[in-house]
Amino acid sequence: MNTMSTAAPLSAAETRHSQIERDPVCGMTVDPATAVQRVEHAGHIHYFCGTRCRERFEADPARYLKPAPAPPPTGAAGQWTCPMHPQIVRSEPGSCPICGMALEPTSPAAGDMPNPELRDMTRRFWVGVALSAPLVIIAMTEHAAMLLPGRAAVWVQLVLATPAVLWCGRPFFERGLASLVHRRLNMFTLIMLGTGVAYGYSLIAALLPEIFPASFRLPSGTVPVYFEPAAVIVTLVLLGQVLELRARAQTGGAIRALLDLAPKTARLVRDEGGEADVPLEQILPGDRLRVRPGEKIPVDGVVLEGASNVDEAMITGEPLPVAKAAGDRVTGGTVNAIGSFVMRAERVGSDTLLARIVHLVAEAQRSRAPIQALADTVSGWFVPGVIAAAAIAFTVWAVFGPAPAMGFALVNAVAVLIIACPCALGLATPVSIMVGTGRGARAGVLARNAQALELMEKIDTLVVDKTGTLTEGKPRLAGIVAVGGYTESELLRRAASLEQASEHPLATAIIGGAAERGLALAAPAEFRSLSGKGVVGLVDGRRVAVGNSALLSELGVDPKGLAGRAETLRAAGESVMLVALDGRAAGLVSVADPVKPNAAEALAALRAEGLRIVMLTGDSRMTAQAVGRRLGIDEIVAEVLPEQKARIVRDIQHQGHRVAMAGDGVNDAPALAQAEIGIAMGTGADIAMESAGLTLVKGDLDGIVRARRLSRAIMRNIRQNLFFAFVFNAAAIPIAAGALYPAFGLLLNPMIASAAMSASSVLVIANALRLRSIRL
C-alpha cells in the first residue's frame, strides 16, 4: 500500500528564510533567484555575491563551511560567574566556592535587574544596625550600668548579639565553612574565625564565668565579654558588602547601556503592502524595515529608500551624526535623526554588530590579565599567613601582655583576622578590566581579552596594512585626461560603459565616477577581458579599449605621450588606465584609493609615543611609496603575498620588538594572529576580527591611539589597586597585632579593623570606576 504525505504550507517567516542564502565566504546575503555565482558542494548549493568569493570557496570549501561558534547567552537568564575567578560558572546565583564572593551574570541584562544578593545583604545590614546600636550604647556609656546593674547588662548584650551575629552574619559563616570544606581559605574564613571566636568566648563568659582563670579577668574580678565587637563587626562587614555589591553593579553599566540600545520592535514593510510593528526576534535577513524619525535602527542593513542622519556615537565614539542615503550601511542600535528611510535587514540577532560588541566586551571582562598571576600567587598564601599572624599575636599577648593578658590576646587576634582583606587584593585587577573594557566599547575599541589590553601599552612596533587600513579601501575616480579632440565626459562615458561588464575593483571606481557626474551609460557589446592587460568591446557601435600600455601595443595604438603622464600619476599613488577609441589614443583615467582623513594625524601621535611604524602591503612598491610619503612612513615592505605577511611580522619579533599588526582583510588574518596584538578594522572582513586581539569598530587609525591610551589607563589603575591592597595589608596586620602599643600605647579596636577591611574593598572598586570617565 502506497502512502502519500503532503507538506504543510510554509509560514511567512519560513518563506522569507527560504528566499535568502548567505555567502559562506563574506557573509553577505544572496537571493538565490538572482544569484549568478553558485557552486554545488556535498549535495548543497552555495550562492555567492561575486566571482572572487566563489573562487575562494572552490579553492578551499572546508575553510568556509566550519560552523562559527555561537556566542554564549547574555543577560540574567544565562549563566553566573565569579568576577575574581571566571572559571567558576553556575546556572543560578550563589557564592563562589573559591573566594566566597557573590556570583554575577556572565553578561548584564538590559535595564535595571534586581540583585537578590544585594537585597538580602541590605536587609541583614539594617537588622544588624538595629541590634548593634543598643550594644554600643550599653558598652560605652556609664548610664547603662545604672539602668542594668550587675549581670543584667551581660544578658541584654547576649540577647541582642545572638541574632546580630548568627542571623545577620549567617552568609559569612556559611561561606567560611564552605571555604574549609573546599580547602579554599578566603576572606570569609577570616570573618568567621574572628567573629566566631569573639562571640563564642563571650557566650561562655556569660554562661560560665567561674571557669575562667585570673589571666582572663579585669582588676574588678569580672570576666569581660565582647558581644559588642562581634555584632558591630558583622554589621560593618554587611555594610561593606552592600557598598561593594552596589559598586560592582556599576562595572557592567557599559554592557547594559549597549543592550538598551537595541529596540524591542521593528516596523516591517510587508511585500503585499502595509506595515506592522513586530518583535525584533522575528526579523529575518532580507526583510524591509521602515525607520522613522527619532527611532533606533533595529538591525544591521542597507538603506533602500530615503535619507537621514544617524547618530552612531555609542558604536563609534563619533559625536557628529553621519549622513545616510540609498546604498549606505546602517548599524543596529544607532539612532535615526529627523529623516525617514526604508532599509533591508542583513544581519539580525546575534549576527548584528551590537550583539557582537556585547559578546566581545563580556568575554573580555571575564578574561584574566597576566598581571593577575601576581595577585593570585599572593592570595594563595595570604589567608594561611593571616591565621598564623593572629596565632602569633595571641601567643605574644598571652605571655607578655598586661592584665588581663588573655583578654588583650583575644582582642588583638580578632583584630588581625578581621582587618586582613584578600578581597581587595583579588578585586584589584578584574574590576579595572571590567570597567576599562566597557569604557573602550563606548569609544569603539573592543578587546577580545584582558591580555590584549595589558600588552598594548608594551608595544614598540606597529605594522600596518595599506588598503583598508591606511586608505579607505574603496578606489575612486581620481582624474581624467582627454586627448585627440575628445571631451572628458565623452571619454569617461565610453570607458565606464565598457567597464560595466567587468568585475574588477577599478572598474567599479570608474563606473562610480561616471554616476557622480550624471552620465548615462550605454550597454557594451562584444566584451572581452584580456588578463593582465585590460578590456575591449563595443559601445554605441564604436570600438573601445581600456587598459595598460601593453594592451594598446597589442592593438597597435600609439599612446601619443600619455605614457609619461601615466608614470607621473602612478608615482603619486594612482592606478592609471589608458583609453583608446576606434584604434586611436583618446586619453586616460586614473583611480586612487584615498588615504583616510585622520591617518596622518594618528600616525604622528603614535610616533610621538615612540612607536616604530612599518607599512606592509601586497600593492605595488610605487603606490605604497606614494602613500608612505603622504603619511611620513619610511619603512615600507611592498609586493608581499598574504602568506609572507606573517613571516615578516615574525622576523620583526625576532629582532626583539613587540609588534602590533593592524589590518582589515582576509589576507591579513595570519599576520594578525602572529603579532603580539592583532588590531582589526571593524569595517573589514570577519575573519580579520576573529584573528585580532583588538577590533576598532569605526575602522580608523585614531582607534589605535585610543586603544593605547586605554591600555595605559587600565594598567595604571590596576597598579594603583595592587599597590593600595599590598600596602594596606602590609601596614594593617602589624598595627592590628599591637605593634604600636609598646611605643604609643595604642591598640586597634576590632570594630575599627572591620570598618577598615570593608573600606579597602570599596576603595579598590571606586578607583576602578574612575576609568568610566577617562578621556581617550
Side-chain angles (χ1 to χ4, degrees):
M1 179 177 179
N2 295 329
T3 60
M4 180 180 297
S5 62
T6 303
L10 293 175
S11 67
E14 291 171 332
T15 301
R16 292 202 304 272
H17 263 310
S18 67
Q19 295 173 348
I20 295 297
E21 292 283 344
R22 188 177 297 278
D23 185 327
V25 175
C26 67
M28 292 288 290
T29 54
V30 182
D31 186 349
T34 59
V36 176
Q37 307 296 332
R38 60 185 69 189
V39 171
E40 183 175 353
H41 176 78
H44 181 77
I45 299 177
H46 301 277
Y47 300 89
F48 304 89
C49 64
T51 305
R52 297 181 68 187
C53 285
R54 176 181 59 79
E55 292 174 346
R56 288 175 181 169
F57 179 85
E58 288 178 323
D60 187 4
R63 173 181 178 184
Y64 300 104
L65 293 180
K66 292 179 180 178
T74 59
Q79 296 176 321
W80 298 70
T81 186
C82 174
M84 287 169 55
H85 301 91
Q87 69 270 27
I88 301 299
V89 179
R90 296 289 185 266
S91 59
E92 58 185 7
S95 58
C96 174
I98 297 177
C99 65
M101 292 183 66
L103 301 181
E104 297 178 345
T106 54
S107 182
D112 295 324
M113 299 293 292
N115 185 334
E117 176 80 8
L118 176 59
R119 186 168 58 244
D120 180 61
M121 289 292 182
T122 303
R123 181 172 60 249
R124 293 178 188 273
F125 165 70
W126 286 115
V127 173
V129 169
L131 295 171
S132 299
L135 284 170
V136 174
I137 295 173
I138 292 172
M140 303 187 66
T141 63
E142 296 180 357
H143 301 288
M146 298 187 326
L147 295 174
L148 299 170
R151 293 184 53 79
V154 175
W155 296 115
V156 171
Q157 291 182 65
L158 172 61
V159 171
L160 292 171
T162 298
V165 173
L166 299 185
W167 184 82
C168 296
R170 177 179 175 179
F172 307 145
F173 285 95
E174 290 177 343
R175 296 176 188 182
L177 290 172
S179 71
L180 298 178
V181 172
H182 294 292
R183 298 181 181 180
R184 296 277 193 171
L185 305 184
N186 54 46
M187 174 184 77
F188 297 101
T189 313
L190 303 179
I191 295 172
M192 178 188 69
L193 290 175
T195 55
V197 167
Y199 175 80
Y201 162 83
S202 301
L203 179 63
I204 297 174
L207 299 176
L208 303 169
E210 64 277 3
I211 69 172
F212 288 87
S215 59
F216 282 88
R217 299 178 180 275
L218 297 172
S220 62
T222 60
V223 179
V225 292
Y226 300 101
F227 289 120
E228 172 218 2
V232 173
I233 286 171
V234 167
T235 303
L236 290 175
V237 174
L238 283 168
L239 174 61
Q241 289 291 295
V242 170
L243 295 176
E244 181 181 318
L245 287 167
R246 288 181 177 176
R248 280 165 54 189
Q250 298 180 48
T251 62
I255 291 186
R256 281 192 294 273
L258 290 171
L259 288 169
D260 289 337
L261 286 176
K264 301 296 185 292
T265 62
R267 191 160 188 82
L268 178 67
V269 180
R270 301 189 185 278
D271 295 336
E272 64 274 13
E275 301 178 1
D277 289 328
V278 300
L280 194 62
E281 296 78 15
Q282 296 183 13
I283 300 302
L284 301 173
D287 284 346
R288 290 186 301 144
L289 310 173
R290 182 175 299 281
V291 183
R292 293 165 291 190
E295 289 184 335
K296 295 176 181 178
I297 296 172
V299 296
D300 298 356
V302 176
V303 177
L304 298 177
E305 307 169 11
S308 184
N309 291 327
V310 175
D311 181 359
E312 299 181 334
M314 273 302 293
I315 299 295
T316 65
E318 180 64 45
L320 297 177
V322 180
K324 300 290 183 180
D328 290 336
R329 294 191 173 278
V330 288
T331 304
T334 55
V335 181
N336 183 30
I338 58 175
S340 175
F341 59 85
V342 175
M343 62 175 286
R344 181 180 67 246
E346 290 197 341
R347 295 192 175 193
V348 303
S350 61
D351 290 335
T352 64
L353 178 62
L354 181 60
R356 292 167 65 195
I357 288 175
V358 171
H359 173 55
L360 279 173
V361 173
E363 285 286 305
Q365 289 186 340
R366 294 195 299 271
S367 64
R368 296 168 69 81
I371 196 173
Q372 178 72 20
L374 173 63
D376 290 344
T377 301
V378 174
S379 296
W381 293 94
F382 190 82
V383 175
V386 171
I387 295 174
I392 293 172
F394 182 89
T395 302
V396 171
W397 279 95
V399 175
F400 302 104
M406 297 302 294
F408 279 111
L410 180 67
V411 168
N412 285 286
V414 169
V416 170
L417 291 171
I418 293 299
I419 200 168
C421 186
C423 185
L425 191 60
L427 284 171
T429 297
V431 292
S432 296
I433 294 295
M434 291 180 69
V435 180
T437 50
R439 177 66 184 94
R442 284 165 43 209
V445 178
L446 305 181
R448 178 168 297 280
N449 51 46
Q451 182 178 10
L453 289 171
E454 180 172 340
L455 289 175
M456 189 60 192
E457 72 160 358
K458 302 175 182 177
I459 295 301
D460 59 29
T461 301
L462 174 65
V463 177
V464 287
D465 175 50
K466 181 182 74 68
T467 305
T469 304
L470 296 175
T471 65
E472 294 182 359
K474 299 177 181 178
R476 299 178 184 175
L477 183 67
I480 308 169
V481 176
V483 298
Y486 296 103
T487 65
E488 290 185 358
S489 295
E490 182 180 7
L491 179 74
L492 177 59
R493 177 181 174 276
R494 296 188 185 278
S497 296
L498 180 63
E499 293 285 11
Q500 288 181 105
S502 173
E503 294 182 349
H504 198 282
L506 298 183
T508 304
I510 295 173
I511 296 169
E516 290 177 358
R517 289 164 172 77
L519 301 179
L521 305 184
E526 299 182 15
F527 175 85
R528 286 190 303 130
S529 176
L530 304 178
S531 179
K533 297 178 181 179
V535 295
V536 296
L538 295 178
V539 176
D540 294 333
R542 301 184 64 177
R543 188 156 298 280
V544 182
V546 181
N548 54 25
S549 56
L551 175 64
L552 267 61
S553 298
E554 182 177 314
L555 298 175
V557 177
D558 181 5
K560 294 184 179 179
L562 289 175
R565 183 64 182 273
E567 286 303 312
T568 302
L569 293 174
R570 291 191 184 101
E574 299 179 14
S575 299
V576 179
M577 287 151 287
L578 304 177
V579 182
L581 297 178
D582 295 329
R584 293 191 305 147
L588 60 81
V589 290
S590 64
V591 172
D593 186 4
V595 171
K596 290 183 177 179
N598 57 357
E601 182 180 351
L603 290 177
L606 292 169
R607 272 192 292 267
E609 295 187 0
L611 260 67
R612 169 192 178 193
I613 311 294
V614 180
M615 182 197 298
L616 186 61
T617 179
D619 211 339
S620 69
R621 185 171 304 279
M622 183 176 292
T623 301
Q625 289 175 340
V627 174
R629 283 194 298 271
R630 292 185 59 182
L631 297 177
I633 301 176
D634 298 324
E635 293 188 64
I636 299 173
V637 184
E639 300 176 355
V640 295
L641 298 175
E643 58 268 21
Q644 294 175 321
K645 289 188 175 183
R647 179 181 56 79
I648 293 171
V649 170
R650 193 181 307 113
D651 291 342
I652 297 175
Q653 291 171 322
H654 288 165
Q655 297 170 11
H657 295 285
R658 295 182 182 232
V659 180
M661 167 71 189
D664 77 321
V666 173
N667 60 342
D668 297 318
L672 292 172
Q674 174 64 40
E676 274 86 357
I677 298 293
I679 303 174
M681 300 293 133
T683 51
D686 288 351
I687 190 172
M689 293 183 234
E690 291 296 326
S691 303
L694 294 174
T695 297
L696 309 180
V697 176
K698 192 179 177 184
D700 62 345
L701 292 177
D702 278 343
I704 301 179
V705 180
R706 292 194 294 271
R708 190 152 168 95
R709 290 173 181 167
L710 176 67
S711 174
R712 283 204 304 263
I714 290 175
M715 296 311 300
R716 181 169 59 247
N717 193 271
I718 289 175
R719 294 185 187 105
Q720 290 169 351
N721 285 345
L722 289 174
F723 176 79
F724 170 77
F726 279 126
V727 170
F728 172 83
N729 285 293
I733 293 176
I735 292 174
L740 298 179
Y741 186 81
F744 303 100
L746 296 177
L747 289 177
L748 188 64
N749 190 299
M751 293 183 291
I752 298 177
S754 175
M757 181 273 291
S758 299
S760 65
S761 295
V762 175
L763 286 175
V764 164
I765 297 175
N767 185 53
L769 289 173
R770 294 191 306 114
L771 290 170
R772 296 186 301 175
S773 59
I774 59 172
R775 298 190 61 180
L776 299 178

